Amino acid sequence: MKNNKIAIFGASGYIASYLIECLSNNSSLFLITNRPENIPEEVKGRCGIEVIKGDLGDEVVQSRIVTEKIKLIINLYGQTDIYFAQKFIEFDFEMNVSKIIKLFSYLVKREFPVRFVQIGTVTQAGLTPFELVDEELDLVVFSLVHPSLLELIL
């Protein structure tokens, strides 16, 4: 059995794919996403990986965190564009902030200890000076999720 149990919210995105590769050898992963069809079949079929459709605000997902005794939650859900968030504040709050509050409330009521890590992208803080970020470059991912960061959060 794998040592760590980790839930990755927003598991169908680019950063998540890197985390899955880094963590899947030593951890049982629960990949939570609203778009499970975007997770490659070869990832879904790996031992120790379970794909769950849902998000931070789903009580069924929250319950699984407790019953599976997950020790680390990595949240990749978040704003994709700060300018959109500023324009539609209530929508942004409902989609991002309120779901985290619901998750924390659920866990606190059950006195369930868990570590929570929020990871985001540069577009959450504004646009880059480049028109496109080349996601094929390992350097881009390396700068976002350095392996030593993974050692700290595990």
Side-chain angles (χ1 to χ4, degrees), residues 12-18 80 120-123 128 130-144:
S12 61
Y14 179 67
I15 297 173
S17 66
Y18 180 75
T80 55
T121 64
V122 69
T123 56
T128 65
F130 310 103
E131 285 187 30
L132 296 172
V133 175
D134 184 356
E135 293 185 345
E136 297 299 316
L137 293 175
D138 288 338
L139 181 61
V140 174
V141 177
F142 185 80
S143 67
L144 294 172

Side-chain angles (χ1 to χ4, degrees), residues 8-111:
I8 301 176
F9 284 89
S12 61
Y14 179 67
I15 297 173
S17 66
Y18 180 75
L19 285 172
I20 292 164
E21 289 303 314
C22 290
L23 298 172
S24 63
N25 289 335
N26 300 322
S27 303
S28 294
L29 301 180
F30 297 83
L31 308 180
I32 298 110
T33 178
N34 286 318
R35 298 177 297 194
E37 67 277 4
N38 289 353
I39 295 178
E41 290 302 319
E42 64 270 11
V43 171
K44 293 177 185 176
R46 287 188 200 163
C47 180
I49 292 182
E50 181 179 347
V51 178
I52 302 168
K53 184 172 177 144
D55 64 31
L56 293 162
D58 293 343
E59 281 197 34
V60 172
V61 173
Q62 295 168 353
S63 175
R64 288 291 304 278
I65 290 170
V66 174
T67 58
E68 295 290 342
K69 297 185 170 90
I70 289 172
K71 297 298 178 197
L72 173 64
I73 296 170
I74 299 174
N75 183 35
L76 298 166
Y77 284 129
Q79 299 168 341
T80 55
D81 183 335
I82 194 167
Y83 303 113
F84 180 87
Q86 288 174 334
K87 198 173 194 179
F88 301 100
I89 294 170
E90 291 86 11
F91 178 79
D92 178 64
F93 181 85
E94 182 59 35
M95 295 307 295
N96 297 301
V97 180
S98 72
K99 292 180 181 189
I100 294 173
I101 292 169
K102 287 177 187 174
L103 172 63
F104 287 169
S105 295
Y106 183 91
L107 297 174
V108 166
K109 285 179 188 171
R110 284 149 189 83
E111 298 180 356

